[in-house]
Amino acid sequence: MARQKNLVRRHEILRNTFILLKKRGMENVSLQMIADKSGISKSLLQSYYPHKNLLIPEIVTNFMTAVLKSLNATDFKDLNTYSKMKIFIYLILEQGIQDEGVERVVKSILSDSDSLDRWSQILDDWLRNEGVKHDLGSDRQVQIGLNFIVTAGGSLYIKRAELDLDADEISDIMVKTFMSTFLSMDESKVDQTIDEAKSALQKYELATLTQTINEMFDN
């Protein structure tokens, strides 16, 4: 019973942190603000999360897990793994572009090294679960590739207005770089992957993902 109560409270804390991040961004949110919104003392909050930076990786995990769930949608489930990777990255970035609040969350993720590492690890775990990890070369090669594209893609996202880039173009660059530079795949395979992803995305309603994200701490 105590364990279930603790889990519920953690979800409440994460939900309230997410709400505050959407309104203010990470740099303008304090532990005291999170505690007040959660209706608990700061000391009780710190018994769960001693430092604010410990909250962000959990937000990242839940946020990206919600996006990954969308890849099980009918329009996406039969696509090849790299097409789904393109869609996964696109949906994260496009959510930020479409929703000012989510953009604050995405920027909080991109400005935190631990969160970037978590994003890379989530992609790595997902590739393993997709059953293609053994075909990708050495773990070191894959890890370097994922870390590179996440960091570089994040930088492009932050500078997107200056560089006149959108989520589609940034996700193209990230996946093409991973496939061609780090996995040495043929250009024809890369182009086929990108085309397949773009075709599937034309049928997808972004509002479906928005609802999933808004409900991600409800259970």
Side-chain angles (χ1 to χ4, degrees):
M1 190 73 171
R3 185 177 180 182
Q4 179 63 27
K5 183 178 179 181
N6 285 339
L7 183 61
V8 170
R9 177 158 284 160
R10 282 182 181 275
H11 279 184
E12 289 175 353
I13 291 169
L14 290 170
R15 182 188 300 110
N16 290 322
T17 302
F18 185 67
I19 291 169
L20 288 169
L21 287 177
K22 286 179 69 176
K23 288 182 178 179
R24 296 173 172 268
M26 184 63 176
E27 66 280 5
N28 298 314
V29 173
S30 67
L31 282 177
Q32 187 62 61
M33 291 169 63
I34 296 169
D36 290 344
K37 188 163 185 63
S38 301
I40 59 177
S41 67
K42 182 178 176 181
S43 60
L44 180 55
L45 171 62
Q46 289 179 298
S47 71
Y48 291 96
Y49 300 100
H51 305 289
K52 187 173 69 171
N53 286 345
L54 296 177
L55 280 157
I56 293 297
E58 289 216 36
I59 297 290
V60 173
T61 299
N62 282 274
F63 178 66
M64 294 193 177
T65 299
V67 178
L68 283 174
K69 284 181 180 177
S70 71
L71 297 184
N72 294 324
T74 302
D75 291 339
F76 301 149
K77 66 179 181 180
D78 294 327
L79 301 182
N80 79 64
T81 299
Y82 307 105
S83 294
K84 287 192 278 188
M85 179 185 280
K86 146 76 181 180
I87 292 168
F88 172 58
I89 295 169
Y90 168 83
L91 291 176
I92 291 171
L93 302 181
E94 185 65 15
Q95 272 289 308
I97 290 172
Q98 295 292 331
D99 186 314
E100 185 177 341
V102 174
E103 180 173 31
R104 293 191 184 98
V105 176
V106 173
K107 284 185 174 179
S108 295
I109 292 170
L110 297 176
S111 62
D112 179 75
S113 59
D114 289 339
S115 296
L116 289 174
D117 289 343
R118 182 67 67 93
W119 186 356
S120 298
Q121 187 59 55
I122 288 169
L123 279 172
D124 187 75
D125 292 342
W126 176 67
L127 290 171
R128 183 177 289 106
N129 292 336
E130 283 281 296
V132 300
K133 185 69 185 290
H134 61 281
D135 296 328
L136 301 184
S138 70
D139 269 352
R140 182 173 180 274
Q141 177 186 6
V142 172
Q143 287 169 1
I144 291 172
L146 292 176
N147 275 279
F148 179 85
I149 66 166
V150 166
T151 302
S155 179
L156 290 176
Y157 176 82
I158 290 171
K159 297 178 180 178
R160 69 183 186 278
E162 174 186 341
L163 299 172
D164 193 26
L165 291 170
D166 59 23
D168 186 49
E169 292 168 316
I170 296 170
S171 55
D172 279 0
I173 292 167
M174 292 171 71
V175 174
K176 285 180 177 180
T177 300
F178 183 64
M179 293 180 71
S180 61
T181 302
F182 293 95
L183 303 184
S184 301
M185 291 189 175
D186 293 339
E187 185 177 346
S188 60
K189 172 70 172 176
V190 176
D191 290 342
Q192 179 184 354
T193 292
I194 297 299
D195 290 344
E196 184 179 70
K198 289 177 186 290
S199 178
L201 278 168
Q202 289 178 353
K203 309 169 190 174
Y204 185 70
E205 293 291 337
L206 196 65
T208 304
L209 176 58
T210 303
Q211 181 177 351
T212 300
I213 290 172
N214 288 336
E215 296 172 353
M216 66 184 173
F217 296 116
D218 289 349
N219 296 320

